[in-house]
Amino acid sequence: AHELPAVMAQTNGVPKQKRLAVLTSGGDSAGMNAAVRAVVRMGIAKGCQVFVVREGWEGLVRGNSSPSPNSSTNNLRESAQSDLPAISSSKPSPGVGGGQGFVATYGEGELLKHGEGEVALGGRFIIKVGWDDVRGFLGEGGTLIGTARSAAFRERDGRRKAALNLVREGIDALVVCGGDGSLTGADKLRDEWPSFIKELTESKEITEEQAQTYQHLNIVGLVGSIDNDMAGVDLTIGASTALHRICEAVDSISSTASSHSRAFVIEVMGRHCGWLALMAGISAGADYLFIPERPPSSDDWETEMCDTLQRHRNLGKRKNIVIVAEGAIDKNLNPITASKLKDILTDRLKLDTRVTTLGHTQRGGKPCAYDRVLATLQGCEAIDALLASTPDIPSPIIGIQENKITRTPLVEAVELTQQVAKAIEAKDFDKAMSLRDPEFEECLDVFNCTTRLDDKWKLPETKRLRIAIMHIGAPASGMNAATSTAVRTCLARGHTPITVYNSFLGLLEDNIATPSWLRVDSWVTRGGSELGTNRTLPDADNVKAIAAKFKEHKLDALLLIGGFEAFAALRFLESARKDNPELKIPMVQLPATISNNVPVTEWSLGSDTSVNVLVEACDAIKQSATASRNRVFVIETQGGECGYIATLGALAAGGLACYIPEKGMSLKMVQEDLDFLKRRYESDVKGKSEGRLVIKSEKASKTYTTEFLTKILSEEGQKVFDARSVQMGHTLQGGTPTPRDRSRAARLASRCIRFIEYHAAGVEGMTRRPDDRDKHDVALVAIKGGRLRFVGMEDLAAASDLKKRRAKDPWWLRIYDLVEVLAGKQDLSK
Ligand code: ATP
C-alpha cells in the first residue's frame, strides 16, 4: 500500500482529499491576487483540492445554485475532475498536486476576465480551481475573485447559510484575506460552526454523515489592507503598493507645485492609522503632516504649521507639501481636514494653495514587488497553518514581524487593532502610538527633526561636530535620500555636514562642500548618486594622504554610504588607525547596494528599487511574448556573486527557473528545466502563445553563460518554444527610489548621526539594545529583524564570505525553493 499524503484522511476506507477555499473580503488591496495564487498553488502542491469563493463573504452566503457534481467527494479519482462543464482544454500533466497536473479546472484565463459577473458564472460562487486558473495573477491589482461588503454575513442567518454552502461543497477549511472586519466575521463563523452543524442536521439540510465529517471549521487569516492598521503585523498586504501610488502622485504634484510656487494639501487614506501619511511624508519630502495617532501637541497648531512652512519659504523653497491622513484630528478630536488646512495656508501665508484627495488611486494599480513577495510567502504559510490546525488551536492570522512570517491568534490581533481606535477616542495618544511598531515613532521623530527647523533639537556648542558624508562603490537608489536626511539631521543638531564628492579620490582633491538645508531638498526622490561615487578604496599607498585630509578638514566623524566597498574601506581604515591617529574618529557604514550582499543587514538601500525595476521589466517582457509566440526569456540580472535580485525577482515576477551563484548551475539542472519548460508548453491551451521567464544572475555560472543557456533552450525547444535573452545590466542601478528605499534611507541616516554623536560627543539618545552600546566606533548600521543594530568590522568579517563578497547565510536563501514550488516543479503531496 502506498503512503497517503499527510493531507488525506481515511473515510470509510476511502482516502479523502482535503478541500479548502480562499476568499477576499472588505476593501481590496494590491497583492490579494498574489495571495490567492499562492494559496491555490501551494494547496494543490500539497495535494489538496482548492476552491475560490467569489465576491467575499457574500459569495459564501449565496453559494452555488446547484451543488457541484463532485461535492463532498471521498474519491481520489474524482479529485482531478472539473466541477464545471469542460471549459478547460488543458491536458493534465504530471508534476504537481497528487497527479492533478497543471490543468485549469475552471478555465485558464477565465478568472482574469473578472467583471462578467453572475451570469457568466451560472449563479456559482464557490468554484474549484486548478493550477493554471491563477496564471497571470501575480501582477494584477485589486482582487480578481471579487470582494464585497456583505450585510447578510453580518447576521447569524447569513453565516448559517455560508456554513451550509461550505458543507455542501465538502469544504471545512478557509483562508480569508481581508481587513479586521472580514477577519472578525471569520472568527464568528468558526465559533458558531458547531451550532450550525447541529441545526442543519436537525433540519435535515445536511446528512448525519456530513455532520460527522465536517465537525470543525478551520480558518486562517491573511491581512489584506492598504492602511497597514493591523496590530502585531509589521506590514499588511497592499500597504506598500498604496505607498507607491501616493509617492508617485506626490512626486508629480511636487514638480508642478514648484513651477507655480504653490502649496498643496494632499489627503491620503487612513481613518485610524497614519502609517501611509507618515511614510509618504518621509518618502516624498513633505513639509508637514497630520496623523490620527499623534495630533499636534499645541493648542495653536495652526501657527506652528505656518511658522514651519514660512521658515521653508524663507530658505528659498518654492513649494510646500502638507500631507494629511483622512482621520487626522487635533488633540480635542476635532477633525483636521484638507480644506481647513487650505484655508489656513491661503489666509495666513497668502499661499496659492490647492487640495488633492488621492482617494481610490491609492487602492489601484499593479502590486509592487514587495507586496507580491509578501503575499506569496503568507499565502504559502497559510496552507501550512491550515493543514496543521486542530479544533483547539485558535485561528491564526499570518503576518510579518521583523522580517519573519508569523502566526498570531486572530482574535488577539483584531482586539489589539481595535484598541488603537479606542485609545484615540479616549485621547490616549501615547497608547495609540505604543500599539504601532517601533519604527513608526522613530520615523515621526526623524520627520519632525528634519523639517521643523526650530532649535529644539540643537546640541550645545561643545557637542557639535564636523561630519563627512561620502558615497562609495556603485550607485544605488536611496543613497541621495540618505544623504539628504543625514545633512538635515546634522543641521538640526547644530553639526556641520561636509559632503565629499567622488569618494576618497574627491577627498584627496578637496572636492567637498557644506550643503544647505535647501540644497538637498529634491535629493529624496532622485536615483543614482548626487555626490558621485567610485570604487577606489583606501590602501597602504593613499592612507597617509587620506589621514592628512581628515586632519586638514577637521573631520570628527565619517558616514560612508555604500555596499561591500564601504565595508572594505572602513575595515581597512580601522586597521590603519594605529599608525594614523587622525583616523581615530567614529566611522559608520550605511548599507547601500542593489546586490543586497552586505552581511548581517537584511536589507541595503537600492535593493528594493532594483527588484521593482526588474519585476516591471519582466511584466513587459512576458506581455511581448503573448503577442507573438511561445517564447522563453532568459533574463540576466546584476548582483555579483549574490543571487538576491534574481531570487526575489523570480518570486515576484513568477519565474519558472532561477539560477544564482549560491546554488551554481549544472547540466542536470539545465536539462531538468528544459524538460519542464517543454512539459509546460505542451500542457498549454493550443493556439495561445505564452511568455515564460528564466531569471539568471550574471555570475550563476562561468560555463553556462546567459548566451549559452539561451542557445541551448532555443535549440532544444525547437518546435515548442524559442528563447531570447534580456540583459538588465545597469538599468537595475537606476530608477526612482521606491518609497521603501527612501523611508529606510531616512531612518538609517538619522540613526547613523545618533551613533556618531554617541561615540564622538558622548550624547545619549540612541534606542539600542544595551549590549550593542559603545562596543565599536567603527560599525555598520544593520537592519536586523526590522530593528537597527550596529555591528563592528570583525563581526561583519566573520559573517562574510570575503572572497565572494557576500553574506555567508543570507535570510532570502531560505525562500529560494518557493520559486520551484510555485512554478510547479515540486510535488509536496508525498
Ligand atoms: P477594510 O480594511 O477595507 O475596512 P474590512 O475587512 O475591515 O476591510 P469590513 O467592511 O469591515 O472590511 O468587513 C468586510 C465584511 O466582513 C463585511 O461586509 C461583513 O460581511 C463582514 N464582517 C465585518 N464585520 C463583521 C462582524 N462583526 N461580524 C460578522 N461579519 C462581519
Side-chain angles (χ1 to χ4, degrees):
H2 69 284
E3 243 180 52
L4 289 176
V7 293
M8 294 184 189
Q10 293 283 132
T11 312
N12 299 333
V14 184
K16 178 178 87 74
Q17 257 188 310
K18 183 108 188 144
R19 292 162 75 99
L20 60 95
V22 53
L23 63 85
T24 52
S25 169
D28 67 338
S29 69
M32 279 183 162
N33 292 318
V36 170
R37 169 183 179 269
V39 168
V40 169
R41 291 200 167 173
M42 188 52 112
I44 293 174
K46 294 227 163 171
C48 306
Q49 295 188 41
V50 187
F51 293 72
V52 295
V53 181
R54 303 195 55 146
E55 316 304 339
W57 291 126
E58 186 63 21
L60 209 54
V61 174
R62 295 211 205 167
N64 291 343
S65 52
S66 57
S68 303
N70 300 322
S71 59
S72 308
T73 181
N74 290 331
N75 192 332
L76 227 193
R77 263 185 316 114
E78 290 170 355
S79 69
Q81 289 178 15
S82 170
D83 269 7
L84 288 171
I87 300 174
S88 167
S89 49
S90 313
K91 281 189 300 214
S93 63
V96 285
Q100 176 170 330
F102 301 110
V103 63
T105 308
Y106 174 54
E108 187 187 320
E110 291 302 308
L111 283 172
L112 283 168
K113 296 182 201 156
H114 179 55
E116 290 173 11
E118 228 177 301
V119 180
L121 289 164
R124 304 175 65 80
F125 288 90
I126 307 171
I127 298 160
K128 185 169 163 207
V129 286
W131 191 270
D132 274 350
D133 286 311
V134 288
R135 190 192 268 186
F137 267 42
L138 263 177
E140 294 286 332
T143 165
L144 292 159
I145 61 172
T147 180
R149 314 259 180 202
S150 171
F153 191 79
R154 284 183 182 276
E155 306 301 324
R156 189 177 185 280
D157 192 50
R159 294 193 291 277
R160 184 181 177 278
K161 282 191 185 128
L164 174 61
N165 287 325
L166 282 171
V167 174
R168 278 189 177 154
E169 299 300 326
I171 297 164
D172 60 0
L174 261 186
V175 179
V176 179
C177 183
D180 58 341
S182 306
L183 298 174
T184 307
D187 201 61
K188 273 196 179 162
L189 178 63
R190 189 196 188 199
D191 261 6
E192 295 163 341
W193 184 267
S195 65
F196 290 147
I197 295 297
K198 190 162 171 277
E199 285 172 35
L200 293 169
T201 321
E202 282 163 11
S203 63
K204 304 222 181 309
E205 286 166 277
I206 62 172
T207 63
E208 289 284 349
E209 192 191 350
Q210 282 174 317
Q212 277 304 314
T213 313
Y214 305 108
Q215 282 176 16
H216 301 285
L217 174 70
N218 291 314
I219 284 192
V220 172
L222 296 175
V223 194
S225 163
I226 67 162
D227 293 348
N228 200 26
D229 57 354
M230 183 63 79
V233 173
D234 289 352
L235 210 49
T236 56
I237 296 170
S240 301
T241 303
L243 190 55
H244 272 248
R245 293 296 96 80
I246 295 172
C247 286
E248 284 156 15
V250 180
D251 287 356
S252 307
I253 288 170
S254 285
S255 50
T256 174
S258 199
S259 310
H260 293 271
S261 194
R262 280 183 180 140
F264 272 83
V265 180
I266 300 171
E267 187 193 288
V268 303
M269 284 187 175
R271 267 168 295 161
H272 304 294
C273 185
W275 187 86
L276 283 175
L278 173 57
M279 290 301 156
I282 284 209
S283 309
D287 299 83
Y288 217 85
L289 60 85
F290 295 94
I291 57 172
E293 299 92 333
R294 180 65 82 208
S297 55
S298 161
D299 280 328
D300 189 11
W301 57 265
E302 293 91 338
T303 304
E304 229 172 49
M305 171 182 69
C306 289
D307 287 352
T308 300
L309 265 54
Q310 189 57 54
R311 281 197 280 269
H312 293 182
R313 288 270 163 181
N314 294 345
L315 288 173
K317 203 167 173 181
R318 284 178 56 82
K319 62 169 187 226
N320 297 108
I321 304 284
V322 176
I323 295 189
V324 54
E326 61 179 334
I329 40 173
D330 68 16
K331 64 181 188 183
N332 298 314
L333 307 184
N334 301 308
I336 297 179
T337 63
S339 65
K340 188 168 177 176
L341 293 170
K342 175 186 183 241
D343 292 344
I344 295 167
L345 297 180
T346 310
D347 296 345
R348 296 209 194 174
L349 296 180
K350 308 291 174 235
L351 289 171
D352 179 3
T353 309
R354 307 293 162 105
V355 169
T356 302
T357 304
L358 293 180
H360 286 78
T361 320
Q362 297 162 83
R363 282 203 181 279
K366 270 175 180 283
C368 68
Y370 192 72
D371 267 328
R372 300 182 194 197
V373 173
L374 185 69
T376 299
L377 297 181
Q378 295 189 356
C380 292
E381 178 74 8
I383 293 296
D384 284 344
L386 260 193
L387 295 179
S389 57
T390 59
D392 44 306
I393 299 179
S395 303
I397 53 163
I398 309 297
I400 185 160
Q401 251 179 331
E402 310 211 326
N403 204 26
K404 288 198 178 62
I405 301 296
T406 53
R407 297 178 194 177
T408 323
L410 190 156
V411 180
E412 279 173 31
V414 169
E415 264 170 26
L416 217 54
T417 302
Q418 287 163 355
Q419 274 186 32
V420 178
K422 286 184 192 142
I424 292 172
E425 240 169 70
K427 301 187 191 171
D428 190 350
F429 304 115
D430 286 340
K431 181 167 179 202
M433 284 300 278
S434 74
L435 290 165
R436 300 279 173 235
D437 68 65
E439 186 183 354
F440 194 88
E441 181 133 38
E442 185 174 1
C443 285
L444 187 59
D445 281 348
V446 174
F447 180 82
N448 288 335
C449 173
T450 51
T451 52
R452 289 292 169 91
L453 298 179
D454 62 27
D455 288 340
K456 182 178 141 191
W457 279 273
K458 286 256 183 323
L459 290 173
E461 297 271 355
T462 53
K463 306 267 184 197
R464 297 184 185 175
L465 306 165
R466 292 171 60 81
I467 300 174
I469 304 165
M470 193 192 281
H471 299 176
I472 193 166
S477 288
M479 280 179 152
N480 297 324
T483 309
S484 174
T485 300
V487 166
R488 287 185 166 183
T489 308
C490 281
L491 294 171
R493 306 283 286 166
H495 306 307
T496 307
I498 297 162
T499 43
V500 181
Y501 287 80
N502 205 19
S503 303
F504 287 98
L505 289 178
L507 180 68
L508 293 170
E509 291 163 0
D510 299 321
N511 194 355
I512 62 173
T514 47
S516 66
W517 186 89
L518 192 65
R519 176 79 185 87
V520 292
D521 192 48
S522 58
W523 287 20
V524 177
T525 58
R526 282 197 208 160
S529 160
E530 287 290 319
L531 295 183
T533 177
N534 63 62
R535 293 184 194 271
T536 303
L537 293 175
D539 58 23
D541 293 336
N542 63 21
V543 69
K544 288 266 171 242
I546 288 172
K549 287 295 170 190
F550 274 34
K551 189 172 176 193
E552 183 186 333
H553 296 300
K554 299 193 185 69
L555 300 186
D556 296 310
L558 171 65
L559 165 58
L560 194 54
I561 303 174
F564 227 84
E565 276 86 5
F567 162 44
L570 288 194
R571 195 159 172 245
F572 176 80
L573 289 177
E574 187 180 35
S575 71
R577 277 172 155 188
K578 51 185 182 311
D579 301 323
N580 301 279
E582 303 85 350
L583 300 177
K584 284 187 184 153
I585 58 172
M587 294 187 251
V588 59
Q589 177 191 354
L590 193 160
T593 163
I594 64 162
S595 314
N596 206 25
N597 60 337
V598 178
V600 184
T601 187
E602 284 163 0
W603 310 97
S604 296
L605 297 187
S607 58
D608 188 59
T609 306
S610 63
V611 172
N612 274 284
V613 171
L614 172 62
V615 168
E616 274 170 34
C618 285
D619 287 352
I621 289 164
K622 242 181 174 176
Q623 207 172 44
S624 81
T626 319
S628 52
R629 55 176 301 192
N630 285 343
R631 187 165 276 172
V632 174
F633 291 94
V634 181
I635 299 181
E636 185 189 277
T637 71
Q638 286 192 338
E641 294 283 352
C642 176
Y644 165 85
I645 299 180
T647 304
L648 274 273
L651 259 186
L656 260 78
C658 176
Y659 297 113
I660 58 172
E662 287 85 348
K663 299 276 177 184
M665 284 174 79
S666 67
L667 190 56
K668 185 164 174 271
M669 285 162 83
V670 175
Q671 180 72 56
E672 279 174 7
D673 286 336
L674 176 65
D675 292 344
F676 179 74
L677 280 163
K678 276 190 189 161
R679 279 213 315 278
R680 283 306 276 124
Y681 276 110
E682 277 161 5
S683 68
D684 278 352
V685 175
K686 293 284 164 272
K688 220 180 129 187
S689 42
E690 190 67 42
R692 289 197 159 95
L693 305 174
V694 171
I695 318 267
K696 179 180 167 296
S697 287
E698 56 186 357
K699 293 197 173 159
S701 162
K702 281 202 176 97
T703 313
Y704 300 99
T705 60
T706 303
E707 195 192 349
F708 186 36
L709 177 67
T710 312
K711 279 185 180 160
I712 294 175
L713 294 177
S714 209
E715 182 82 17
E716 300 292 326
Q718 271 187 3
K719 293 210 177 70
V720 188
F721 60 86
D722 75 353
R724 292 280 191 280
S725 66
V726 179
Q727 302 209 341
M728 293 300 297
H730 287 75
T731 28
L732 296 177
Q733 287 183 18
T736 308
T738 57
R740 218 168 146 70
D741 273 333
R742 299 183 201 181
S743 58
R744 267 191 195 135
R747 187 173 169 221
L748 289 169
S750 157
R751 264 309 175 93
C752 285
I753 302 300
R754 297 298 169 103
F755 170 89
I756 287 169
E757 285 172 359
Y758 180 77
H759 286 282
V763 178
E764 295 277 351
M766 293 182 44
T767 42
R768 290 186 297 154
R769 291 207 314 246
D771 57 329
D772 290 333
R773 294 178 77 90
D774 75 83
K775 267 205 330 224
H776 311 277
D777 65 349
V778 180
L780 161 87
V781 59
I783 307 174
K784 192 95 179 97
R787 290 170 192 274
L788 303 187
R789 274 181 54 199
F790 288 89
V791 189
M793 294 297 115
E794 285 321 302
D795 289 346
L796 273 189
S800 307
D801 179 336
L802 290 169
K803 207 164 137 241
K804 298 240 160 102
R805 293 163 55 93
R806 66 186 183 210
K808 275 183 185 157
D809 179 27
W811 64 271
W812 52 265
L813 211 48
R814 292 190 274 280
I815 57 175
Y816 173 86
D817 277 355
L818 277 185
V819 176
E820 306 252 304
V821 174
L822 295 169
K825 283 195 247 170
Q826 291 184 15
D827 187 350
L828 306 177
S829 67
K830 302 208 172 59

